[in-house]
Amino acid sequence: MAKIMLTTCALVLLLQVLFTDAKTGCKLANGFVNIRSDVCDRADIANDLKDIQKHLVNGDFVEALKIYEHGKYSFEHNETVQNTGTRTLKMLSTSAFDEMKNEPTYNFIRFGLADKVFDDMSERNIEKFGHEAVMEAFGKTDSGDLPYYTIVVLNLFPYIVHKLWQAVEDCDGAFVHPNTDEMGPGVVLLDEAIAYYIGKNQTSSDTSEGYSIYALAQFAGSMFGKADGAALVNLNMKELYEDAMKELSIDGACQNDDYTSTYLHGVVNRMISQMNVVFMQMLIFVMTKGWQDQIKLYAKIIVSQASRCKPSAFRYLKAYLVDTDYDPQLFTDILESLQDIYSCLGFTCEDIGAYNVDEVAECADVPDNYPIAGYVPLTKVHSRSMVDLDILEIKYLTQMGNFTSARRIYAYGKHTVKPKSEGQLLPVYHTLQGMATSSNREILPYLETFQTYWGNKEYANKFVEEALGWNSGKYIAASNGQRYEIVTKTIQYQVVYMYALQECYRAADVCDMSDQGDEMAWARSWDECVALLVGSLEGPSWPGGDKDDGMLHFNLADQRAMHFYTADLAGYAKVNRDLMENFRSGRDALIENECEKVRSIVRSIQRKTFIPLIQSIIRYAVRMEGKSAPFEEQHKSLAAGEAFAKSILPIVDLFNSTAASVLTENMIMEKGTEPVKDGPQAVADALASVLDDLAIDCEEIGRDDSAVDICKEYKLISQSYSLGVSRSTKMTAFTVMFLSGLAAFCF
């Protein structure tokens, strides 16, 4: 018994040393969270916030500003625990650009708050957006404690997020360069984040009597029915923090493989989403009160981050909440637009709750069969359709030169959550890189054609990785604009597009086996095909969303229909109308087990999706003509044209190698080679030579406003190209079979 008692006491002592020793850690919120590293002085900064609010309430703006600028309670220390200065709330913002310029959240806030598009951000000093807003609030001496809340929302929150992203960076770096920190990679940085989040003066877990974001979460949660004791947000933050620490405590964490980095990336995104729940609740609350300054404050942090969500919703919210004073008569419309971005920001209607029970009712989360541009799926694929949000984030991040964050979303995923398995705590994501390297793609009848042509089984992944800067390659000399075009358009029209078609073929493949095993396998595959061709940004209703919103094939067709006059009277692509009919007919044929009909519909879908790609090649051939050689002139159209050409080039080569050579020589960037040297009509003629093979009529391609005309004697062009190409009878038979019969043969 004595030995057992001694062992127990030793264990208790060990736990105290690890988690509560005054020299190495501290308890926060009366033991709600115990941090184990020596960063408790970060939590002391909440005492600065406490005194700032007290002085503001008493009307002493001078003393409050003094504490903001010079600090009071939070002292910085060196490795020997010597005081080296006072930490200030001001520096959380003024040091931001140098420390945060490669982090996604900071960049999206900057992007969302910019007066102009991101290319012109340098014309306005928005790197220190938090400090600027705080000083503006201090200038309003009748604003009460507005400066206090501005510091919490626009200085403290971005800095907490900065520490979270530093933890991910630390973990990523440990995989390449082993971490020598005795606490392990990422641990101290996560402790810092949670210390700032809770603050030293949070007296207990179930009260708002504190002065950091934790206390704000308690206040907001109590108003929205989400704080029975500790607020749900705070409970979730604790769980996420402890899950991350548990993962980081595993021997070799971050150093043996990239699993921990992937896991931590997901945790950090969820922690950011939880904090945004608080700001969304506060925004709705102050809107009901009509408090203009507070509305603008919470709108700045929410709407700026919505810049990575649906573009039309972002523009509307920025116009009516940030750029102008809030109009109470627009409450319902604005609330609906806010609810439209919930899923993009990583939370649900249930997470937000209802304000004052029924003053602002809880909205409804999307049902399992949530429509996709008018198509009603049989399975739950809304999350799968949100792959377009991953692409949108990658697009904006690469436009801003933040290739590191873009690489993480490509490799780790963010919005497309896989169904949870039993006992699974955190979500696992579908990833774009997973699509690009999937072994399941073998079902595509022409995949081998692409792999052989490019000499790489993971050719699209190679293009993306080179442009993202993972490996050396041709894009090392490209401009950021050219790299972003290659990355984004390769993902859109080679990775996701091919994966979507794969799922259509898979649905047809399992149609004959619907009575064996999983009877809904065909439905999931078919619905995924639709989800990945259309995307979530098109919304639930036909004919889809705003033309600036979509990121996938459906939107490309709408964009090109405007340029090539192939739109219907309402301004939407005729080919999309045909595709939607295919989607519905295919679903219904699968229900009736009409497998031959399904195969025919799949071939029709494949044929129609070639149309906007061909239009895009012609459009960029026109735009590229007259430009200097690639990498000498850093025009992004050169890269966009190459990406579109690559999406169809192997198929053109299969039918007509001479035509493929014309596309290569004119559309693929090579150092010292003039783009479109033979002129855009030559590119159009090369494409015209394979239209019959693709079962496409030239009138389906249409004509743009340039002098280029793909229909110009296209029958004659097709014949002349064919006469100039040596083809065996066997090859000719194969090419005729390719789109019209190979799929059926494969089944």
Side-chain angles (χ1 to χ4, degrees):
M1 177 64 72
K3 289 183 178 180
I4 294 174
M5 289 297 295
L6 285 171
T7 302
T8 303
C9 290
L11 179 60
V12 170
L13 180 61
L14 176 61
L15 291 173
Q16 287 177 338
V17 169
L18 285 174
F19 296 106
T20 61
D21 189 277
K23 294 180 181 179
T24 58
C26 57
K27 296 180 178 180
L28 297 174
N30 198 27
F32 182 70
V33 169
N34 297 319
I35 58 176
R36 70 187 200 187
S37 52
D38 190 15
V39 297
C40 301
D41 50 4
R42 278 67 161 179
D44 289 332
I45 208 160
N47 287 319
D48 285 14
L49 287 165
K50 178 181 178 180
D51 280 12
I52 286 172
Q53 187 181 43
K54 180 183 71 175
H55 288 303
L56 290 171
V57 170
N58 293 331
D60 191 349
F61 276 56
V62 173
E63 189 62 28
L65 180 60
K66 181 179 177 181
I67 296 173
Y68 167 72
E69 291 184 326
H70 302 290
K72 187 173 182 180
Y73 295 105
S74 182
F75 299 103
E76 298 177 327
H77 302 90
N78 60 20
E79 293 180 357
T80 60
V81 200
Q82 292 179 323
N83 186 341
T84 58
T86 306
R87 185 176 289 104
T88 74
L89 289 159
K90 176 184 175 180
M91 73 90 181
L92 302 187
S93 175
T94 55
S95 65
F97 181 71
D98 288 338
E99 294 188 18
M100 306 182 198
K101 60 186 176 182
N102 290 320
E103 296 169 2
T105 310
Y106 174 72
N107 277 306
F108 282 122
I109 295 173
R110 291 174 62 222
F111 178 41
L113 292 177
D115 289 336
K116 302 178 182 180
V117 296
F118 66 92
D119 285 328
D120 297 313
M121 283 203 299
S122 61
E123 295 182 10
R124 182 167 175 258
N125 182 23
I126 58 171
E127 288 83 5
K128 303 172 184 177
F129 56 83
H131 176 63
E132 288 181 353
V134 169
M135 296 309 295
E136 183 180 348
F138 269 115
K140 298 180 178 180
T141 54
D142 59 347
S143 63
D145 56 0
L146 177 65
Y148 159 77
Y149 286 104
T150 305
I151 295 167
V152 171
V153 175
L154 291 178
N155 277 25
L156 186 59
F157 165 69
Y159 200 76
I160 292 171
V161 172
H162 164 55
K163 289 298 173 181
L164 294 174
W165 285 124
Q166 275 192 317
V168 175
E169 186 71 30
D170 199 33
C171 188
D172 276 351
F175 182 48
V176 181
H177 305 289
N179 188 291
T180 57
D181 191 320
E182 63 179 16
M183 301 297 288
V187 170
V188 173
L189 294 158
L190 279 176
D191 277 348
E192 284 189 88
I194 207 70
Y196 281 121
Y197 176 80
I198 297 176
K200 184 64 72 71
N201 47 30
Q202 184 68 42
T203 55
S204 68
S205 63
D206 59 355
T207 178
S208 60
E209 295 177 2
Y211 296 87
S212 194
I213 297 178
Y214 185 102
L216 191 63
Q218 287 296 131
F219 175 74
S222 66
M223 292 188 298
F224 282 79
K226 297 295 177 180
D228 184 11
L232 180 61
V233 164
N234 288 330
L235 290 170
N236 290 338
M237 287 291 286
K238 174 184 178 178
E239 181 180 16
L240 289 164
Y241 165 75
E242 291 176 347
D243 285 345
M245 284 300 189
K246 182 179 179 181
E247 183 64 34
L248 290 171
S249 69
I250 297 173
D251 187 38
C254 302
Q255 298 179 27
N256 295 333
D257 53 42
D258 63 355
Y259 173 79
T260 310
S261 290
T262 304
Y263 187 88
L264 193 57
H265 183 262
V267 169
V268 165
N269 276 316
R270 286 174 63 80
M271 292 180 84
I272 295 169
S273 294
Q274 287 299 306
M275 288 186 276
N276 278 324
V277 167
V278 179
F279 301 141
M280 183 65 79
Q281 290 170 331
M282 290 302 299
L283 176 56
I284 294 171
F285 165 64
V286 296
M287 282 170 58
T288 65
K289 302 298 182 184
W291 298 340
Q292 293 291 351
D293 287 336
Q294 289 86 346
I295 291 169
K296 206 169 290 291
L297 168 62
Y298 291 107
K300 281 182 177 180
I301 201 63
I302 285 292
V303 176
S304 62
Q305 293 179 83
S307 60
R308 59 181 171 82
C309 302
K310 181 181 288 189
S312 60
F314 164 66
R315 289 194 301 269
Y316 175 81
L317 290 169
K318 188 171 188 293
Y320 290 102
L321 286 177
V322 178
D323 296 340
T324 59
D325 283 344
Y326 164 70
D327 182 353
Q329 293 184 344
L330 296 176
F331 178 84
T332 300
D333 290 341
I334 290 174
L335 182 63
E336 288 179 358
S337 290
L338 288 171
Q339 291 167 349
D340 202 25
I341 63 172
Y342 281 8
S343 60
C344 170
L345 294 178
F347 49 79
T348 65
C349 293
E350 184 179 1
D351 291 330
I352 297 296
Y355 170 60
N356 238 3
V357 182
D358 59 1
E359 187 171 338
V360 179
E362 182 178 310
C363 61
D365 290 313
V366 299
D368 288 354
N369 64 339
Y370 191 67
I372 305 169
Y375 170 83
V376 180
L378 298 173
T379 60
K380 190 175 183 178
V381 292
H382 178 65
S383 175
R384 201 70 169 107
S385 71
M386 291 171 67
V387 68
D388 53 6
L389 293 175
D390 281 7
I391 300 172
L392 185 64
E393 285 203 31
I394 289 172
K395 173 185 176 181
Y396 287 154
L397 288 168
T398 51
Q399 280 178 325
M400 291 184 278
N402 189 350
F403 292 93
T404 299
S405 297
R407 281 198 297 270
R408 290 197 183 107
I409 295 175
Y410 176 68
Y412 301 157
K414 183 172 181 181
H415 292 98
T416 54
V417 182
K418 293 182 178 180
K420 279 191 176 183
S421 58
E422 186 176 350
Q424 180 184 329
L425 295 176
L426 290 175
V428 177
Y429 300 91
H430 293 284
T431 72
L432 291 161
Q433 188 172 46
M435 290 186 190
T437 58
S438 170
S439 60
N440 296 328
R441 297 174 301 154
E442 303 301 328
I443 198 170
L444 282 169
Y446 52 89
L447 176 66
E448 188 176 353
T449 300
F450 276 79
Q451 293 173 331
T452 301
Y453 186 87
W454 296 118
N456 192 310
K457 286 194 171 185
E458 297 178 355
Y459 61 92
N461 181 60
K462 177 177 179 289
F463 299 153
V464 174
E465 285 190 341
E466 285 183 347
L468 282 172
W470 255 323
N471 302 308
S472 59
K474 67 180 288 185
Y475 304 118
I476 198 168
S479 67
N480 281 354
Q482 290 175 334
R483 290 171 66 192
Y484 114 72
E485 289 283 9
I486 291 293
V487 169
T488 305
K489 287 182 170 56
T490 299
I491 291 172
Q492 289 171 301
Y493 309 120
Q494 294 186 63
V495 176
V496 177
Y497 167 54
M498 295 284 272
Y499 197 91
L501 290 180
Q502 161 195 307
E503 291 306 306
C504 271
Y505 277 104
R506 187 178 310 286
D509 192 33
V510 299
C511 176
D512 287 325
M513 299 181 291
S514 59
D515 59 343
Q516 304 174 24
D518 187 354
E519 62 180 15
M520 292 300 288
W522 54 265
R524 277 196 301 274
S525 289
W526 190 261
D527 289 344
E528 277 202 27
C529 175
V530 178
L532 296 174
L533 287 174
V534 180
S536 67
L537 289 168
E538 297 292 349
S541 305
W542 174 261
D546 190 284
K547 289 187 177 64
D548 292 335
D549 286 342
M551 289 297 295
L552 301 178
H553 227 83
F554 198 83
N555 180 261
L556 180 68
D558 275 337
Q559 295 282 356
R560 295 297 169 257
M562 293 188 294
H563 303 139
F564 284 81
Y565 299 97
T566 53
D568 59 21
L569 294 177
Y572 294 91
K574 294 176 183 176
V575 71
N576 278 347
R577 180 189 60 204
D578 296 339
L579 279 171
M580 188 56 66
E581 178 58 33
N582 283 157
F583 296 155
R584 292 168 178 155
S585 298
R587 175 198 59 197
D588 296 343
L590 283 162
I591 292 173
E592 297 299 326
N593 203 37
E594 298 175 337
C595 300
E596 287 302 323
K597 183 176 180 181
V598 173
R599 295 182 188 113
S600 176
I601 291 170
V602 171
R603 293 193 293 272
S604 176
I605 290 172
Q606 179 180 284
R607 183 185 74 80
K608 290 180 174 66
T609 54
F610 283 136
I611 292 172
L613 296 176
I614 292 171
Q615 291 171 329
S616 297
I617 295 169
I618 296 171
R619 176 168 173 78
Y620 279 95
V622 172
R623 297 178 70 173
M624 290 165 64
E625 185 182 25
K627 298 288 187 285
S628 300
F631 316 128
E632 295 172 14
E633 179 168 346
Q634 304 286 289
H635 202 286
K636 64 182 184 179
S637 290
L638 303 175
E642 173 173 314
F644 279 118
K646 282 183 172 180
S647 70
I648 198 172
L649 187 51
I651 294 176
V652 174
D653 181 69
L654 180 68
F655 295 128
N656 193 321
S657 60
T658 301
S661 296
V662 172
L663 289 182
T664 299
E665 292 166 6
N666 285 273
M667 300 298 294
I668 303 301
M669 296 191 297
E670 292 295 342
K671 187 175 182 179
T673 301
E674 178 188 351
V676 199
K677 61 185 182 63
D678 298 321
Q681 185 62 54
V683 172
D685 290 347
L687 292 167
S689 73
V690 299
L691 289 183
D692 283 346
D693 299 292
L694 298 176
I696 296 173
D697 188 285
C698 75
E699 294 297 337
E700 293 181 278
I701 305 299
R703 301 165 182 81
D704 67 1
D705 289 329
S706 71
V708 178
D709 183 1
I710 197 171
C711 290
K712 184 179 180 181
E713 303 179 274
Y714 96 96
K715 289 288 184 183
L716 181 61
I717 291 167
S718 180
Q719 292 169 7
S720 65
Y721 268 93
S722 297
L723 289 172
V725 179
S726 175
R727 297 278 182 180
S728 67
T729 304
K730 181 178 178 181
M731 190 59 177
T732 303
F734 175 74
T735 57
V736 171
M737 174 183 68
F738 182 69
L739 288 179
S740 61
L742 180 57
F745 172 79
C746 292
F747 297 123

